[in-house]
Amino acid sequence: MEEKEISQAVIGRLPRYYRYLGDLKDQGIERISSQDLSTLMKVTASQIRQDFNNFGGFGQQGYGYNVEYLYEEISKILGLYQKHNLVLIGAGNLGQALANYVNFEKRGFLIRGIFDSNPALVGKEVRGIPIRAMEGLEAFVKENDIDIAVLTIPKTSAEEVAERLAGCGIKAIWNFAHVDLNVPEHIQVENVHLSDSLMKLSYNLNRYNKEKEQKE
Amino acid sequence: MEEKEISQAVIGRLPRYYRYLGDLKDQGIERISSQDLSTLMKVTASQIRQDFNNFGGFGQQGYGYNVEYLYEEISKILGLYQKHNLVLIGAGNLGQALANYVNFEKRGFLIRGIFDSNPALVGKEVRGIPIRAMEGLEAFVKENDIDIAVLTIPKTSAEEVAERLAGCGIKAIWNFAHVDLNVPEHIQVENVHLSDSLMKLSYNLNRYNKEKEQKE
């Protein structure tokens, strides 16, 4: 596979292709035309072709796409099935929800340790994984070859924890804290800002209501 | 304010401006130059000016931006402080995490009811809000003027629940189920697909690792 820079917009769309192809595969569908895939996913066929061309195509004229092949190729591109060791920091409801989501494990994301600053939670377990005190974070990350940290902690402590993680060699942070982290550039950060998403919904809802009022 | 169509890309960036301006406001900062805002937010000053021009500017030559004014204007654009009545469907860990997040309430998103199909959960409470059986969903939505539904249920039941919601007049769905919903176009949908976000992180991490290997 050619190693060229792929835009984050394309990368952002790959998991959705992966999801649809997985569903098709589960339904026993072996191949699909770009037109049918386009209808199903509600994106243009040309967008699909352009996106896939970033990785060298995968389609055959007159045949369409081989579902299983495409699914496997995208999973390789996304680096799934490669094992990643995770720590989860913050064992509140959101942290527990993520720890209980078994699909992450199937895709190679293994939660090795859970940490929380609340002494009342330390020693308890989530899905068999003990909750540890924050003091042991650095040693645990180093000893267990942890590459990804999941931050489900309040924004007030997120910066400090991110600095500690950067200091002990973490490679990536999946950040649910409602703040943009200041970490060295070599650390990959993916933010999930839930409020931002709700505000976008709010905007679209109010916009629709206004337009409707104007029409009436 | 002029009523023109604003791109979803710009809308998607507004909550982040709102968050930064809120922090500046909390720190007692009254005004900020577009250059300083640019440095703080790590986006170009021209991007900021372009984004704000969609709503008629807000900046003054030589003065910069008035933080409080800009914050309030963006909150108006986003439709915050306008009250929205919500139901939350799915009282698992993720649902409970959202129900416990008091900041949503501050911004006008009021969870009026929680529903779950699990009889063992029905009758329990989350933050004082009783969990109800799914049978009562339609009547509750109509009687309580609910406009937004939050779906924190598995993908297998999401389609059916979305159809029921469409049938009883819901206006917007904040969807955490790992599936794209098929609902009429007038219903606003905002998806939070957590796996998609984790896969994007995985891609960037593997990409970085590969590049590093090649350099070594």
Side-chain angles (χ1 to χ4, degrees), chain A residues 1-6 8 11-12 14-16 18-20 23 41-42 55 76-80 82 84 86 93-94 96-98 100-101 103-104 107 109 147-149 155 171-174 176 178-183 186 188-212 214, chain B residues 1-6 8 11-12 14-16 18-20 23 41-42 55 76-80 82 84 86 93-94 96-98 100-101 103-104 107 109 147-149 155 171-174 176 178-183 186 188-212 214:
Chain A
M1 198 191 326
E2 208 191 329
E3 291 289 335
K4 59 172 183 173
E5 192 67 44
I6 296 153
Q8 286 294 308
I11 303 309
L14 285 184
R16 191 160 175 261
Y18 180 75
R19 180 150 46 88
Y20 275 85
D23 287 346
M41 295 188 62
K42 292 176 186 161
F55 314 102
K76 278 185 222 159
I77 292 162
L78 288 172
L80 307 177
Q82 229 165 313
H84 290 293
L86 278 67
N93 281 309
L94 182 57
Q96 296 203 19
L98 296 177
N100 279 310
Y101 193 60
N103 269 343
F104 294 149
R107 285 169 188 155
F109 302 98
D147 45 7
I148 303 178
K155 104 190 213 180
K171 288 177 185 160
I173 298 177
W174 197 22
F176 288 77
H178 199 223
V179 63
D180 297 328
L181 302 172
N182 256 321
V183 289
H186 68 268
Q188 310 300 317
V189 178
E190 180 70 26
N191 294 307
V192 181
H193 292 322
L194 295 177
S195 298
D196 289 14
S197 159
L198 184 57
M199 286 184 202
K200 205 175 159 205
L201 184 68
S202 166
Y203 172 85
N204 285 323
L205 177 57
N206 288 304
R207 174 92 205 168
Y208 174 80
N209 285 342
K210 261 190 218 163
E211 280 171 358
K212 210 176 139 202
Q214 279 163 6
Chain B
M1 200 188 327
E2 208 189 327
E3 292 289 334
K4 57 171 179 172
E5 193 67 40
I6 297 153
Q8 287 294 307
I11 304 309
L14 285 185
R16 190 160 177 263
Y18 181 75
R19 180 151 45 88
Y20 275 86
D23 287 346
M41 294 187 63
K42 294 178 184 158
F55 314 100
K76 277 185 225 160
I77 292 163
L78 288 172
L80 308 176
Q82 228 164 315
H84 290 294
L86 278 66
N93 281 309
L94 181 57
Q96 295 202 20
L98 296 176
N100 279 310
Y101 194 61
N103 269 343
F104 293 148
R107 284 169 189 155
F109 302 97
D147 45 8
I148 302 178
K155 100 190 216 181
K171 289 177 185 160
I173 297 178
W174 197 23
F176 288 78
H178 199 224
V179 63
D180 297 329
L181 302 172
N182 256 321
V183 289
H186 68 266
Q188 311 298 317
V189 178
E190 181 70 24
N191 294 307
V192 182
H193 292 321
L194 295 178
S195 298
D196 290 13
S197 159
L198 183 56
M199 287 185 202
K200 205 174 160 204
L201 183 66
S202 167
Y203 172 86
N204 285 324
L205 177 55
N206 288 305
R207 174 94 205 166
Y208 175 78
N209 285 343
K210 264 192 217 163
E211 281 172 357
K212 211 177 141 200
Q214 280 164 5

